Amino acid sequence: MYHQGRSDIAARVDHEERRKQIAEALLRIAATEGLQSVSMRAVATEAGVSLRLVQYYFTTKQALVLDALARLGTQLQARMDRWVREAGPPPQPRSAITAILSSVLPTDEESRRITRIYAAYYVLVLGDSSLEEHATPQPALLEGFLAKQLRLAQDAGAVGPEKDPAMVAAGLMAMVNGLGSSVLGGQRTGEAALLVLHHHLDELFGPATPASDGS
Protein backbone atom coordinates (compact mmCIF):
# COMPACT_ATOMS: atom_id res chain seq x y z
CA MET A 1 0.00 0.00 0.00
CA TYR A 2 2.84 2.38 0.89
CA HIS A 3 4.65 1.73 -2.39
CA GLN A 4 1.39 2.08 -4.30
CA GLY A 5 0.79 5.46 -2.67
CA ARG A 6 4.25 6.64 -3.64
CA SER A 7 3.64 5.49 -7.21
CA ASP A 8 0.37 7.41 -7.38
CA ILE A 9 2.07 10.59 -6.15
CA ALA A 10 4.90 10.16 -8.65
CA ALA A 11 2.37 9.69 -11.44
CA ARG A 12 0.50 12.85 -10.47
CA VAL A 13 3.75 14.81 -10.35
CA ASP A 14 4.75 13.46 -13.76
CA HIS A 15 1.37 14.40 -15.25
CA GLU A 16 1.62 17.91 -13.83
CA GLU A 17 5.17 18.30 -15.18
CA ARG A 18 3.96 17.22 -18.64
CA ARG A 19 1.06 19.67 -18.55
CA LYS A 20 3.40 22.44 -17.41
CA GLN A 21 5.91 21.58 -20.15
CA ILE A 22 3.22 21.83 -22.82
CA ALA A 23 1.60 24.98 -21.41
CA GLU A 24 4.96 26.74 -21.12
CA ALA A 25 5.63 25.90 -24.77
CA LEU A 26 2.38 27.64 -25.72
CA LEU A 27 3.36 30.69 -23.65
CA ARG A 28 6.71 30.91 -25.42
CA ILE A 29 4.98 30.87 -28.81
CA ALA A 30 2.40 33.42 -27.64
CA ALA A 31 5.15 35.80 -26.52
CA THR A 32 6.77 35.83 -29.96
CA GLU A 33 4.07 34.94 -32.51
CA GLY A 34 0.71 35.52 -30.84
CA LEU A 35 -2.06 32.99 -30.37
CA GLN A 36 -4.37 33.34 -33.36
CA SER A 37 -2.54 31.03 -35.73
CA VAL A 38 -0.80 28.74 -33.25
CA SER A 39 -1.63 25.05 -33.67
CA MET A 40 -1.46 22.07 -31.35
CA ARG A 41 1.21 20.64 -33.66
CA ALA A 42 3.33 23.78 -33.28
CA VAL A 43 3.01 23.54 -29.50
CA ALA A 44 4.06 19.89 -29.63
CA THR A 45 7.14 20.81 -31.65
CA GLU A 46 8.04 23.65 -29.28
CA ALA A 47 7.58 21.38 -26.26
CA GLY A 48 9.57 18.55 -27.83
CA VAL A 49 6.73 16.03 -27.49
CA SER A 50 4.35 14.27 -29.83
CA LEU A 51 1.10 15.80 -31.05
CA ARG A 52 -0.70 12.81 -29.56
CA LEU A 53 0.70 13.62 -26.12
CA VAL A 54 -0.48 17.23 -26.37
CA GLN A 55 -3.95 16.02 -27.37
CA TYR A 56 -3.93 13.54 -24.49
CA TYR A 57 -3.48 16.28 -21.91
CA PHE A 58 -5.46 18.99 -23.72
CA THR A 59 -8.30 17.85 -25.93
CA THR A 60 -8.80 21.31 -27.45
CA LYS A 61 -6.69 24.37 -28.16
CA GLN A 62 -9.02 26.40 -25.93
CA ALA A 63 -8.34 24.10 -22.98
CA LEU A 64 -4.61 24.50 -23.53
CA VAL A 65 -4.86 28.30 -23.85
CA LEU A 66 -6.87 28.58 -20.64
CA ASP A 67 -4.49 26.33 -18.70
CA ALA A 68 -1.52 28.34 -19.93
CA LEU A 69 -3.20 31.62 -19.00
CA ALA A 70 -3.86 30.36 -15.48
CA ARG A 71 -0.16 29.58 -15.17
CA LEU A 72 0.71 33.01 -16.52
CA GLY A 73 -1.56 34.56 -13.90
CA THR A 74 0.33 32.66 -11.21
CA GLN A 75 3.62 33.99 -12.58
CA LEU A 76 2.29 37.55 -12.58
CA GLN A 77 1.02 37.15 -9.02
CA ALA A 78 4.43 35.91 -7.90
CA ARG A 79 6.06 38.93 -9.55
CA MET A 80 3.66 41.35 -7.86
CA ASP A 81 4.16 39.66 -4.48
CA ARG A 82 7.93 39.93 -4.88
CA TRP A 83 7.76 43.65 -5.71
CA VAL A 84 5.48 44.33 -2.74
CA ARG A 85 7.87 42.48 -0.40
CA GLU A 86 10.79 44.50 -1.77
CA ALA A 87 8.88 47.72 -0.99
CA GLY A 88 9.62 47.01 2.67
CA PRO A 89 7.75 45.45 5.60
CA PRO A 90 5.04 46.23 6.22
CA PRO A 91 4.12 47.94 2.92
CA GLN A 92 2.01 51.06 3.29
CA PRO A 93 -0.93 51.63 0.88
CA ARG A 94 1.04 53.99 -1.34
CA SER A 95 4.12 51.78 -1.54
CA ALA A 96 1.98 48.69 -2.15
CA ILE A 97 0.05 50.41 -4.97
CA THR A 98 3.28 51.77 -6.47
CA ALA A 99 4.95 48.36 -6.34
CA ILE A 100 1.97 46.52 -7.84
CA LEU A 101 1.45 48.92 -10.73
CA SER A 102 5.18 49.25 -11.40
CA SER A 103 5.56 45.47 -11.53
CA VAL A 104 2.84 45.22 -14.18
CA LEU A 105 4.48 47.71 -16.54
CA PRO A 106 6.77 46.11 -19.16
CA THR A 107 10.08 47.41 -17.87
CA ASP A 108 12.20 44.24 -18.00
CA GLU A 109 12.33 40.93 -19.87
CA GLU A 110 9.93 39.14 -17.52
CA SER A 111 7.25 41.84 -17.54
CA ARG A 112 7.56 42.40 -21.30
CA ARG A 113 6.97 38.69 -21.86
CA ILE A 114 3.92 38.69 -19.58
CA THR A 115 2.49 41.82 -21.22
CA ARG A 116 2.99 40.44 -24.74
CA ILE A 117 1.21 37.20 -23.85
CA TYR A 118 -1.76 38.97 -22.31
CA ALA A 119 -1.94 41.19 -25.40
CA ALA A 120 -1.94 38.06 -27.59
CA TYR A 121 -4.77 36.63 -25.48
CA TYR A 122 -6.89 39.77 -25.85
CA VAL A 123 -6.39 39.70 -29.63
CA LEU A 124 -7.50 36.06 -29.62
CA VAL A 125 -10.64 36.95 -27.64
CA LEU A 126 -11.56 39.54 -30.27
CA GLY A 127 -11.77 36.76 -32.83
CA ASP A 128 -13.32 34.12 -30.59
CA SER A 129 -16.14 35.39 -28.40
CA SER A 130 -16.48 31.99 -26.71
CA LEU A 131 -13.34 32.84 -24.74
CA GLU A 132 -14.91 35.91 -23.13
CA GLU A 133 -16.64 33.85 -20.43
CA HIS A 134 -13.25 32.40 -19.49
CA ALA A 135 -11.56 35.79 -19.16
CA THR A 136 -8.65 35.79 -16.78
CA PRO A 137 -9.74 36.94 -13.27
CA GLN A 138 -6.44 38.73 -12.66
CA PRO A 139 -7.59 42.28 -13.61
CA ALA A 140 -10.69 42.13 -11.40
CA LEU A 141 -8.70 40.78 -8.46
CA LEU A 142 -6.06 43.45 -8.96
CA GLU A 143 -8.62 46.24 -9.11
CA GLY A 144 -10.15 44.97 -5.88
CA PHE A 145 -6.76 44.96 -4.17
CA LEU A 146 -6.00 48.49 -5.34
CA ALA A 147 -9.40 49.73 -4.18
CA LYS A 148 -8.79 48.20 -0.75
CA GLN A 149 -5.41 49.90 -0.47
CA LEU A 150 -6.96 53.21 -1.50
CA ARG A 151 -9.61 52.90 1.21
CA LEU A 152 -6.83 52.28 3.74
CA ALA A 153 -5.04 55.37 2.43
CA GLN A 154 -8.23 57.38 2.87
CA ASP A 155 -8.56 56.13 6.45
CA ALA A 156 -5.00 57.33 7.08
CA GLY A 157 -5.69 60.70 5.48
CA ALA A 158 -3.29 60.09 2.60
CA VAL A 159 -6.01 60.24 -0.07
CA GLY A 160 -8.89 62.71 -0.13
CA PRO A 161 -12.29 61.43 1.08
CA GLU A 162 -13.94 62.67 -2.12
CA LYS A 163 -12.16 60.00 -4.17
CA ASP A 164 -14.10 56.86 -5.11
CA PRO A 165 -11.62 54.00 -4.48
CA ALA A 166 -13.24 51.65 -7.00
CA MET A 167 -13.26 54.27 -9.75
CA VAL A 168 -9.69 55.37 -9.02
CA ALA A 169 -8.51 51.74 -9.02
CA ALA A 170 -10.20 51.13 -12.38
CA GLY A 171 -8.61 54.28 -13.78
CA LEU A 172 -5.16 53.28 -12.57
CA MET A 173 -5.50 49.85 -14.15
CA ALA A 174 -6.68 51.35 -17.45
CA MET A 175 -3.75 53.76 -17.42
CA VAL A 176 -1.21 51.03 -16.75
CA ASN A 177 -2.68 48.84 -19.49
CA GLY A 178 -2.47 51.75 -21.90
CA LEU A 179 1.09 52.53 -20.86
CA GLY A 180 2.03 48.89 -21.32
CA SER A 181 0.64 48.92 -24.86
CA SER A 182 2.55 52.12 -25.64
CA VAL A 183 5.79 50.50 -24.47
CA LEU A 184 5.22 47.39 -26.57
CA GLY A 185 4.36 49.62 -29.53
CA GLY A 186 7.58 51.60 -29.18
CA GLN A 187 5.88 54.90 -28.28
CA ARG A 188 7.82 55.20 -25.02
CA THR A 189 10.33 53.26 -22.96
CA GLY A 190 9.53 51.35 -19.81
CA GLU A 191 11.34 54.02 -17.80
CA ALA A 192 9.21 56.74 -19.39
CA ALA A 193 6.07 54.74 -18.57
CA LEU A 194 7.17 54.57 -14.94
CA LEU A 195 7.59 58.34 -14.88
CA VAL A 196 4.00 58.77 -16.12
CA LEU A 197 2.75 56.35 -13.46
CA HIS A 198 4.62 58.15 -10.67
CA HIS A 199 3.32 61.51 -11.90
CA HIS A 200 -0.28 60.34 -11.52
CA LEU A 201 0.41 58.75 -8.14
CA ASP A 202 1.91 62.06 -6.99
CA GLU A 203 -1.32 63.76 -8.05
CA LEU A 204 -3.31 61.21 -6.06
CA PHE A 205 -1.17 61.02 -2.91
CA GLY A 206 0.91 64.17 -3.05
CA PRO A 207 4.67 64.42 -3.80
CA ALA A 208 6.46 61.18 -3.02
CA THR A 209 9.29 60.74 -0.54
CA PRO A 210 11.83 57.88 -0.69
CA ALA A 211 10.00 56.18 2.18
CA SER A 212 6.56 56.43 0.61
CA ASP A 213 7.03 55.58 -3.04
CA GLY A 214 8.53 52.12 -2.59
CA SER A 215 11.52 52.92 -4.79
Side-chain angles (χ1 to χ4, degrees), residues 57-114:
Y57 285 107
F58 302 99
T59 56
T60 65
K61 176 183 172 180
Q62 183 182 95
L64 173 53
V65 167
L66 294 175
D67 182 270
L69 278 171
R71 295 174 189 276
L72 184 68
T74 299
Q75 294 171 18
L76 176 58
Q77 185 64 56
R79 176 181 172 86
M80 292 188 294
D81 290 345
R82 186 171 70 250
W83 280 56
V84 170
R85 287 196 304 271
E86 291 173 356
Q92 298 302 307
R94 177 173 182 149
S95 62
I97 290 172
T98 301
I100 287 290
L101 295 177
S102 299
S103 74
V104 172
L105 285 174
T107 56
D108 56 26
E109 183 177 348
E110 179 187 41
S111 55
R112 284 192 293 270
R113 178 184 68 88
I114 291 173

Side-chain angles (χ1 to χ4, degrees), residues 128-152:
D128 185 356
S129 59
S130 67
L131 285 169
E132 291 180 5
E133 62 183 284
H134 303 290
T136 171
Q138 203 75 34
L141 292 173
L142 188 48
E143 277 190 29
F145 175 83
L146 294 174
K148 179 180 178 180
Q149 294 300 311
L150 288 164
R151 283 190 287 271
L152 290 173

